[in-house]
Amino acid sequence: MLRYIVRRLIAIPLLIFGVVTVCFFLAHSIKGDPLSSLLSFRQLGNPEVVAATKKRWGLDKSLPEQWFIYIRNLLSGDFGTSFRTRRPVLEDISDRLPATLELAIASLVIGSLAGISLGMLAAYYRNRRIDDGARLFALVGSSMPVFWSGLILLFIFSVKLQILPGPGRLDPVTDIPPYVTGMFTIDALIAGEINKFLEVLKHMILPAFVMAWSMMGIISRVVRASMLDVLNQEYILTARSKGARELRVIINHALRNVMIPTLTIIGFSFAYLITGAVLVETIFSWPGVGYYAVSSTRALDFPAIIGVTIIGATAFLVTNLVTDISYAFANPKIRLG
Amino acid sequence: MILTRILQFRSFLKRYDHLLTLPVIIGILIIFFWAITAISVDYWQPYDPLAMVSRRLQPPSAKHLLGTDALGRDVLSRTLHGARHSMPIAMSVVISAVTIGSLLGAVAGFSGKWLDGLIMRLVDVTLAFPPILLAMAVAAALGPGLRNAGIAMVIVWWPIYARLMRAQALEVRERDHVEAAIASGVSRTRLLFVHILPLCWTPVLINATMDFGQAVLLSASLSFIGLGAKPPTPEWGSMISEGATFFYYWWIALGPGLSILMVVLGFNFIGDGLRDFLDPRTTD
Amino acid sequence: MTKLSNRIGLQRHISIFVTLLVLMLLAGGFFSNRVDAAGKDTLVVARAMDINSLDPHIAFCDTCKVVIGMMYETIVKLGPDNKTILPQIAKSWDVSKDGMSYTFYLDERAVFADGSPVESKDVKFSIERWQNLKQDSNMYVKSISKVDASDPRKVVITVSSWPSELLGQLAVPYAGIVNSDLAMANGAVSSADAPEKDKAEAWFMKNSAGSSPFVLESYRPDEEIRLKQNPRYWGKKPAIKRVIIKHVPQSVSQAQMLESGQVDVAMQIDADTAKTIRSRDVVIKSQPSYYFNYVALVPGATNLKVPLTPKVREAIALAIDHEGMLDVTLGGAGRVQPSVIPVEFPGGSGFPTPRQDLAKARKLLAEAGHPNGFEILAVYPDLTSYGVNYSVVMQKVQQDLAKIGIKVILEPVTMAVLRARTGGTVPMTILMWAADYMGSAQYVQYFAMVPGTTWFYLASGTTNDMPSLVNHREAELMEKLQKAGAKEAEKLYHEFAKEMIKDYVIIPIGNPDLLLTYRKNVQGMRYDIITEIPFDEISKR
């Protein structure tokens, strides 16, 4: 086990190196050169300006040389400067990561709570209408493009009913709470501003729900299946026959046994979260990493694209590792390797 | 004679009784509907999907059941035509990914040694990318267009099948009849295609069915962020993106959104049914 | 029996929980969307921002003009009529007899936000840095050959060519005067090696160094920019103490925020969306703008199926249904623009409105040897510019050209990709032009078919070598313009516009009306061609 973990940990930096290299050359394989994201039409044909700009951004060197410099800077923690925002990429990302994390955590919480509840309801009322309803609701969520459900919900709740705010993390006039974690909910609480906390929450409802809905299907399915397993176990039947209250039986016995597979599947749904972040953040103008990724790709902003991919891949790899390990702990039968 | 046939047919139906549950039937009907639409829509479409047939941005009416878009085109006709783009792209992506992935995975699992190492490291690096980011990067590098989006999706997808197939191949290789075949000196190619691959298809099939739906979603997502279909192609994702620009005119995005929902739901129903049927471990 | 009651128990637990939650949220006034944007001192603006830098000498974008115009003052400024040049940092100026040398007398009252006086060394530093950094807005400083700052209150600028428009060019926000001591302390360099040595851009992204009524408070890319009043401002202090510009990419969202009172002004609501606004608290004022969209043909492209000869180009231009285009792209809210020089600019008026003429177009195509038409690729940016969705425009062009047998293949790409591909594989595209100042030289420098202009470079497939494309009459006119006085220049520009129409390389397809959309309590709104909205003149009731 320990050997396995160590091996996987060693693999991560190597994989990241692979990701960086693939990304770097992929980015530079695009027709034309990076100047197109730095200059306007007017100056692309002006040799003086082109030369000055190349010098300014170090683009006058050969590609392998640029790659070498990039890797060297990366090792010292410098991700380069974004072509689009003209700020250090790392600064851009660390500004946006909390926004994405906050949204991801909220959707994870809503998604797991709702997924677990739906799964338990479905198992409890197995093969009845509630079961069908719960399964359908969860399945619809994972079958719907998030950018469409987001749009529809935005239209209904923000434009028509006007009970939830439009895009963004805060109302336009509100000041950002003093920086501690960068997550506005937590920062607002730390600063003791309850109204601001509620406002942030209000802005998060729609995007978080849209992302959560897309994860409910997979979570509720697993919960339902393992719950059914557990409910048929001897000891549950015994507990029931002893006249223990139904709710207590479920919470005390069943839930505990359902937790491990559920946690594992929640880890697996991380990929959904990243996809969700990219699309949902675009619809809701949520200034997170996903929105940044889309804007940078559109602008051919190579330093930013590579930076986001490195961060995304690292998070992805670490989550996968944690998930695999917890999976192995949960099912000792599974052979790692 | 006839009687035995009928009995045979009845027992056939019985065998598949568990498979043909209501959701699976609904799923098959949905997919069937869209497949037929994709093939035949030219003959019964209400309007030309590319022509300006009415005033622009008209709400749904008897004449235009789903209204008209920003260019005065009939949204219903465009939605129906969307099947021609989304379905084939999903099919070809999944089929290519399954073929490439399974073959490489089976080869890796079967041959072992350095080839295994090489293929699996490639798989590792590809899987290290969050799928949407890789698809975006590849699609951006190749330029827009449904075909390029398709290529990007295959690049994202094949490693999943490679892993799945490799695990299966490793397991199957240990089985008696395979060892017997090896002992009897069967050629390696024959061993792979005749003795090993046929035994590995179950999880791949289940996964592939579910992935049809995911492929429809991902191709629409790429189109939505401008890396997929080119206008005036009535692709569902790009229609939703057009609808997003004019989202007070809600009907533009309604049809394509519902269509994606239907198709993905259909594939998920079938996939669920298949899983329950073929892989009883996960059922109740 | 027990089972049933237990089940009810479970349901009751859930329903009590849900009810409590909803009650709690309702009690907090949670589900209410209506907000009073801000007090009288703060102006909240919604805009899709495309900021590419906040360094005045590097930035070049539509939003940059707005925000840099707010943070930096220029030597002279454009008056409310969008024509007259008024004093700003310079209280007066003289022009030498030959028109080659300008002397500016700086206002003694002018101080930067840190209290230090604006002196001629700051002007010299700013102009030289602008010149030497060689960034996007470089064409506006090209004519300047020397800046003399020997007297701290007097600046003498010598120009080498194009003398007539120097004042207009110095009123562009990119000519902003920065506090040279402060800028140098943070890495700014104005000498010839500035491209390599200047490291101040990162500092300018977080700070401002101007002498204007507003200073930068904070900037969060893709989110918002906040500006606050400069307490030491030397002129008349604006009524608004703080301006928040929120990045709201979609016109619909801007409209929704304006209607619900979350923002006071929305800057880019398109005509289709404006029609859906019902709120009585919103004012919608429509007026002609100075920007326009144009379809461009690139005869020098390497992937042409059929050469884009003058006849073919004219046929394409004649096939476009301009009125229909306005209707489709702007809901009718715009004007057909005949020439690249807009009506309000010197030499731009007096041209007949172009009309679709399919018969003549077909005849021209047949004469050119393509009676059955041909196929052409159009690569264009997939964006919405001032309410005009380019995909919609190009699909309309596609349908118009289909009528004369030309099949247009559409390929939308992002702006950056389009720029990356201009090396000759873009036979047709659509772009937008917004004037940077009042003057017609910018049109000539940009659109004329004479080697050295931007569009000659692009239309020749970035080779700058395509003799058949050169318009010799335009080259002649350019020569004449170098020595012309203002009156004569207007005539020359008119002739220029006529020639540029006949080039059929740039085909203007409509000049959108500008919609000023704001809450009723906002006073003093008007359209300024440089900063779009004169924030320092606005007040809130």
Side-chain angles (χ1 to χ4, degrees):
Chain A
M1 190 67 181
L2 194 66
R3 253 188 71 203
Y4 170 75
I5 297 175
V6 169
R7 216 174 67 206
R8 286 282 299 265
L9 280 175
I10 294 172
I12 288 183
L14 291 176
L15 284 172
I16 299 284
F17 179 77
V19 166
V20 173
T21 309
V22 169
C23 237
F24 187 88
F25 287 98
L26 196 64
H28 285 86
S29 70
I30 296 172
K31 274 178 264 179
D33 58 79
L35 277 181
S36 53
S37 26
L38 286 167
L39 285 177
S40 72
F41 275 111
R42 273 189 218 211
Q43 305 295 6
L44 276 175
N46 184 338
E48 263 183 276
V49 173
V50 166
T53 310
K54 278 192 169 170
K55 219 176 232 166
R56 195 175 160 77
W57 291 85
L59 296 166
D60 47 351
K61 303 188 174 70
S62 72
L63 201 55
E65 211 174 331
Q66 285 182 45
W67 176 78
F68 182 75
I69 293 172
Y70 186 80
I71 296 281
R72 200 186 59 199
N73 290 344
L74 202 59
L75 289 176
S76 61
D78 175 9
F79 282 58
T81 302
S82 156
F83 290 172
R84 189 175 66 94
T85 67
R86 310 286 170 112
R87 303 187 333 153
V89 172
L90 203 57
E91 199 178 309
D92 270 349
I93 294 179
S94 57
D95 256 12
R96 287 148 205 266
L97 206 55
T100 299
L101 276 180
E102 188 171 39
L103 187 58
I105 292 171
S107 8
L108 210 54
V109 169
I110 300 179
S112 338
L113 284 183
I116 294 172
S117 318
L118 285 174
M120 282 170 61
L121 269 181
Y124 192 79
Y125 296 95
R126 160 152 67 124
N127 293 339
R128 263 182 281 170
R129 238 178 240 156
I130 295 188
D131 179 15
D132 293 341
R135 286 165 80 183
L136 188 68
F137 178 76
L139 202 56
V140 164
S142 49
S143 304
M144 220 167 3
V146 284
F147 51 92
W148 182 68
S149 46
L151 213 56
I152 299 279
L153 292 180
L154 206 52
F155 182 74
I156 296 176
F157 288 101
S158 168
V159 176
K160 282 288 148 191
L161 301 177
Q162 306 216 332
I163 52 174
L164 287 174
R169 280 176 92 187
L170 278 173
D171 289 342
V173 74
T174 313
D175 292 313
I176 292 166
Y179 183 90
V180 182
T181 59
M183 294 189 216
F184 289 176
T185 38
I186 298 174
D187 289 359
L189 282 182
I190 291 175
E193 296 172 285
I194 296 298
N195 281 338
K196 203 171 277 184
F197 172 74
L198 285 177
E199 184 185 319
V200 180
L201 226 48
K202 212 158 94 173
H203 275 263
M204 262 169 40
I205 292 181
L206 282 182
F209 175 74
V210 166
M211 271 163 78
W213 201 4
S214 74
M215 301 188 305
M216 279 177 211
I218 180 166
I219 295 174
S220 66
R221 190 211 313 274
V222 170
V223 172
R224 178 177 180 272
S226 38
M227 183 79 180
L228 282 176
D229 269 358
V230 173
L231 281 182
N232 289 331
Q233 301 282 329
E234 283 292 320
Y235 63 94
I236 297 277
L237 296 176
T238 322
R240 265 188 192 165
S241 64
K242 279 187 191 155
R245 287 195 57 186
E246 200 76 10
L247 193 66
R248 186 164 299 155
V249 172
I250 292 182
I251 290 179
N252 284 358
H253 298 280
L255 199 57
R256 203 182 299 151
N257 288 288
V258 169
M259 240 36 241
I260 290 183
T262 309
L263 282 181
T264 316
I265 204 68
I266 291 173
F268 275 126
S269 48
F270 189 70
Y272 279 82
L273 275 179
I274 294 187
T275 311
V278 167
L279 298 168
V280 169
E281 286 179 6
T282 309
I283 283 284
F284 287 91
S285 308
W286 192 268
V289 182
Y291 188 48
Y292 186 63
V294 174
S295 316
S296 314
T297 310
R298 289 180 56 86
L300 299 184
D301 181 352
F302 304 132
I305 297 173
I306 304 175
V308 169
T309 315
I310 294 172
I311 300 290
T314 314
F316 199 52
L317 286 170
V318 170
T319 324
N320 282 351
L321 177 64
V322 172
T323 312
D324 285 354
I325 292 172
S326 67
Y327 195 61
F329 271 116
N331 304 283
K333 277 175 285 178
I334 304 269
R335 201 169 33 138
L336 294 172
Chain B
M1 184 66 183
I2 293 174
L3 197 70
T4 45
R5 274 283 166 81
I6 289 177
L7 280 177
Q8 264 177 9
F9 187 62
R10 277 189 58 187
S11 73
F12 172 82
L13 272 190
K14 260 241 164 67
R15 265 183 71 196
Y16 288 89
D17 195 33
H18 279 301
L19 177 60
L20 292 174
T21 54
L22 185 66
V24 175
I25 294 173
I26 295 177
I28 291 177
L29 285 179
I30 291 175
I31 302 306
F32 193 68
F33 166 76
W34 281 110
I36 294 289
T37 305
I39 296 166
S40 66
V41 65
D42 275 342
Y43 303 102
W44 53 274
Q45 64 194 16
Y47 297 95
D48 179 349
L50 302 183
M52 293 170 165
V53 288
S54 176
R55 285 187 35 224
R56 52 200 297 274
L57 300 172
Q58 293 298 301
S61 64
K63 222 173 136 217
H64 301 281
L65 291 178
L66 289 177
T68 60
D69 68 5
L71 275 156
R73 296 171 301 198
D74 182 53
V75 177
L76 177 64
S77 306
R78 289 178 67 72
T79 305
L80 292 172
H81 265 265
R84 299 198 123 177
H85 305 282
S86 297
M87 301 277 278
I89 199 81
M91 297 271 173
S92 37
V93 164
V94 174
I95 290 172
S96 324
V98 167
T99 316
I100 298 173
S102 316
L103 273 180
L104 288 177
V107 167
F110 172 62
S111 72
K113 288 178 233 142
W114 63 270
L115 196 58
D116 185 21
L118 181 74
I119 294 175
M120 292 327 282
R121 293 300 80 74
L122 207 60
V123 166
D124 286 343
V125 169
T126 321
L127 282 180
F129 285 94
I132 184 111
L133 291 185
L134 180 60
M136 272 164 60
V138 175
L142 294 173
L146 267 182
R147 204 194 50 191
N148 291 344
I151 295 175
M153 284 157 67
V154 173
I155 293 180
V156 169
W157 242 302
W158 74 268
I160 298 172
Y161 289 98
R163 254 198 190 168
L164 209 62
M165 204 56 163
R166 177 174 174 271
Q168 284 286 309
L170 279 177
E171 193 192 317
V172 168
R173 201 170 62 168
E174 309 291 314
R175 291 198 194 166
D176 291 344
H177 81 277
V178 178
E179 296 196 334
I182 296 175
S184 66
V186 177
S187 83
R188 293 174 74 89
T189 333
R190 196 179 148 76
L191 194 65
L192 183 62
F193 281 95
V194 178
H195 296 273
I196 294 183
L197 273 179
L199 289 173
C200 306
W201 64 280
T202 314
V204 171
L205 184 71
I206 298 173
N207 242 290
T209 321
M210 307 281 260
D211 273 355
F212 276 120
Q214 293 306 311
V216 171
L217 276 183
L218 187 57
S219 73
S221 306
L222 286 178
S223 289
F224 177 77
I225 48 185
L227 295 168
K230 304 173 192 170
T233 317
E235 202 274 342
W236 291 332
S238 44
M239 284 173 74
I240 295 178
S241 151
E242 278 168 35
T245 348
F246 298 96
F247 89 70
Y248 272 43
Y249 305 92
W250 50 269
W251 54 87
I252 304 176
L254 187 69
L258 284 177
S259 310
I260 298 178
L261 174 60
M262 273 172 79
V263 170
V264 181
L265 205 55
F267 280 122
N268 279 343
F269 278 155
I270 300 175
D272 264 359
L274 260 185
R275 184 199 353 235
D276 291 350
F277 180 70
L278 293 172
D279 193 9
R281 270 173 300 173
T282 56
T283 44
D284 35 325
Chain C
M1 202 55 212
T2 22
K3 220 176 172 191
L4 186 70
S5 65
N6 275 340
R7 196 168 294 151
I8 290 173
L10 177 64
Q11 277 169 353
R12 197 189 296 144
H13 275 280
I14 295 175
S15 56
I16 289 174
F17 175 69
V18 170
T19 320
L20 270 179
L21 191 72
V22 169
L23 278 179
M24 260 166 57
L25 296 176
L26 281 178
F30 192 67
F31 288 108
S32 150
N33 205 13
R34 304 202 167 269
V35 213
D36 186 24
K40 273 171 67 178
D41 294 347
T42 305
L43 187 77
V44 189
V45 180
R47 182 185 172 93
M49 290 197 281
D50 58 341
I51 293 176
N52 72 350
S53 182
L54 290 178
D55 183 329
H57 306 138
I58 293 176
F60 191 71
C61 70
D62 290 336
T63 309
C64 304
K65 280 194 280 191
V66 179
V67 295
I68 288 177
M70 287 169 81
M71 295 188 293
Y72 296 92
E73 283 187 318
T74 42
I75 303 177
V76 290
K77 69 173 184 189
L78 195 64
D81 61 353
N82 282 329
K83 271 193 172 149
T84 324
I85 299 290
L86 300 178
Q88 193 160 32
I89 287 176
K91 57 183 179 191
S92 62
W93 57 91
D94 303 324
V95 187
S96 69
K97 276 222 179 82
D98 60 358
M100 301 303 270
S101 156
Y102 289 70
T103 309
F104 295 95
Y105 303 95
L106 305 186
D107 199 317
E108 305 80 17
R109 294 170 304 163
V111 287
F112 287 111
D114 66 356
S116 58
V118 182
E119 291 176 340
S120 58
K121 69 173 182 358
D122 300 304
V123 175
K124 183 178 162 72
F125 176 84
S126 301
I127 291 179
E128 286 178 352
R129 179 169 184 262
W130 186 24
Q131 213 164 18
N132 287 328
L133 272 176
K134 295 204 173 59
Q135 291 290 309
D136 276 319
S137 57
N138 191 255
M139 58 275 176
Y140 300 131
V141 260
K142 264 192 170 161
S143 62
I144 298 176
S145 58
K146 198 177 151 228
V147 183
D148 180 90
S150 40
D151 178 337
R153 305 246 60 91
K154 196 173 90 183
V155 179
V156 182
I157 296 180
T158 318
V159 295
S160 52
S161 61
W162 297 91
S164 55
E165 289 184 352
L166 180 77
L167 291 175
Q169 291 170 344
L170 287 179
V172 175
Y174 310 123
I177 304 305
V178 303
N179 185 336
S180 61
D181 296 331
L182 189 58
M184 278 191 282
N186 289 287
V189 171
S190 68
S191 52
D193 54 3
E196 254 180 302
K197 294 274 157 60
D198 188 282
K199 303 285 179 213
E201 191 179 15
W203 184 83
F204 276 106
M205 298 306 289
K206 290 182 178 156
N207 304 277
S208 58
S211 57
S212 74
F214 296 100
V215 294
L216 182 63
E217 183 185 327
S218 67
Y219 169 52
R220 294 169 70 93
D222 299 334
E223 234 173 303
E224 58 173 29
I225 182 165
R226 293 179 178 226
L227 300 113
K228 60 182 182 203
Q229 205 178 56
N230 167 7
R232 291 209 177 122
Y233 184 56
W234 57 280
K236 184 176 165 275
K237 289 212 174 99
I240 297 290
K241 295 212 161 50
R242 199 177 187 209
V243 178
I244 300 173
I245 306 181
K246 196 86 184 162
H247 176 59
V248 184
Q250 282 173 345
S251 166
V252 242
S253 307
Q254 292 189 7
Q256 185 236 326
M257 292 171 107
L258 185 65
E259 276 195 285
S260 64
Q262 289 182 300
V263 300
D264 301 305
V265 180
M267 291 181 82
Q268 294 140 320
I269 292 186
D270 61 59
D272 283 325
T273 307
K275 280 180 202 150
T276 62
I277 293 181
R278 300 267 174 272
S279 169
R280 290 211 184 134
D281 297 328
V282 174
V283 181
I284 303 177
K285 248 202 252 167
S286 167
Q287 71 172 87
S289 71
Y290 291 162
Y291 41 77
F292 65 95
N293 298 293
Y294 57 91
V295 167
L297 301 171
V298 180
T302 51
N303 53 347
L304 288 170
K305 295 257 155 74
V306 151
L308 288 174
T309 58
K311 271 190 181 158
V312 174
R313 299 200 304 259
E314 192 179 350
I316 291 175
L318 285 172
I320 289 173
D321 164 23
H322 291 270
E323 295 289 335
M325 182 71 80
L326 284 186
D327 186 48
V328 167
T329 55
L330 294 163
R335 297 174 297 176
V336 176
Q337 182 171 329
S339 124
V340 289
I341 302 182
V343 183
E344 291 83 356
F345 284 68
S349 56
F351 292 105
T353 313
R355 295 235 176 274
Q356 187 185 36
D357 187 344
L358 293 176
K360 195 176 170 199
R362 283 194 199 102
K363 199 175 135 243
L364 282 167
L365 267 193
E367 280 169 23
H370 316 290
N372 300 320
F374 55 88
E375 207 174 81
I376 185 168
L377 177 71
V379 186
Y380 63 95
D382 61 344
L383 48 82
T384 298
S385 161
Y386 292 95
V388 178
N389 183 310
Y390 284 173
S391 271
V392 172
V393 176
M394 287 315 291
Q395 291 179 65
K396 170 72 177 152
V397 168
Q398 190 181 41
Q399 294 186 346
D400 287 346
L401 294 191
K403 292 188 179 127
I404 56 168
I406 298 176
K407 191 177 170 211
V408 182
I409 313 285
L410 299 184
E411 185 174 346
V413 294
T414 66
M415 199 65 182
V417 175
L418 180 65
R419 286 197 289 252
R421 285 187 52 171
T422 38
T425 56
V426 179
M428 186 192 239
T429 191
I430 170 175
L431 286 167
M432 195 261 308
W433 168 275
D436 286 327
Y437 63 95
M438 176 50 76
S440 290
Q442 51 189 334
Y443 295 93
V444 168
Q445 284 172 315
Y446 199 66
F447 293 116
M449 283 303 116
V450 177
T453 69
T454 304
W455 263 103
F456 184 80
Y457 167 74
L458 295 173
S460 63
T462 67
T463 58
N464 257 337
D465 176 33
M466 195 173 176
S468 62
L469 197 61
V470 180
N471 185 328
H472 296 286
R473 177 72 190 132
E474 283 174 17
E476 242 170 74
L477 288 169
M478 231 177 217
E479 290 282 312
K480 279 192 190 163
L481 267 172
Q482 307 262 3
K483 294 162 210 119
K487 265 259 174 66
E488 200 189 341
E490 182 155 354
K491 260 190 212 150
L492 292 172
Y493 283 131
H494 186 79
E495 215 177 316
F496 227 120
K498 204 155 102 193
E499 285 299 319
M500 289 195 280
I501 293 175
K502 282 196 286 184
D503 284 335
Y504 295 113
V505 169
I506 305 296
I507 307 162
I509 47 148
N511 162 220
D513 283 350
L514 179 97
L515 291 180
L516 291 171
T517 44
Y518 49 97
R519 305 279 299 178
K520 225 168 41 192
N521 59 344
V522 176
Q523 309 276 299
M525 278 288 280
R526 67 172 173 89
Y527 171 50
D528 181 291
I529 70 164
I530 291 177
T531 59
E532 299 198 25
I533 295 172
F535 288 94
D536 53 337
E537 293 170 18
I538 286 181
S539 61
K540 264 169 89 179
R541 253 189 324 183

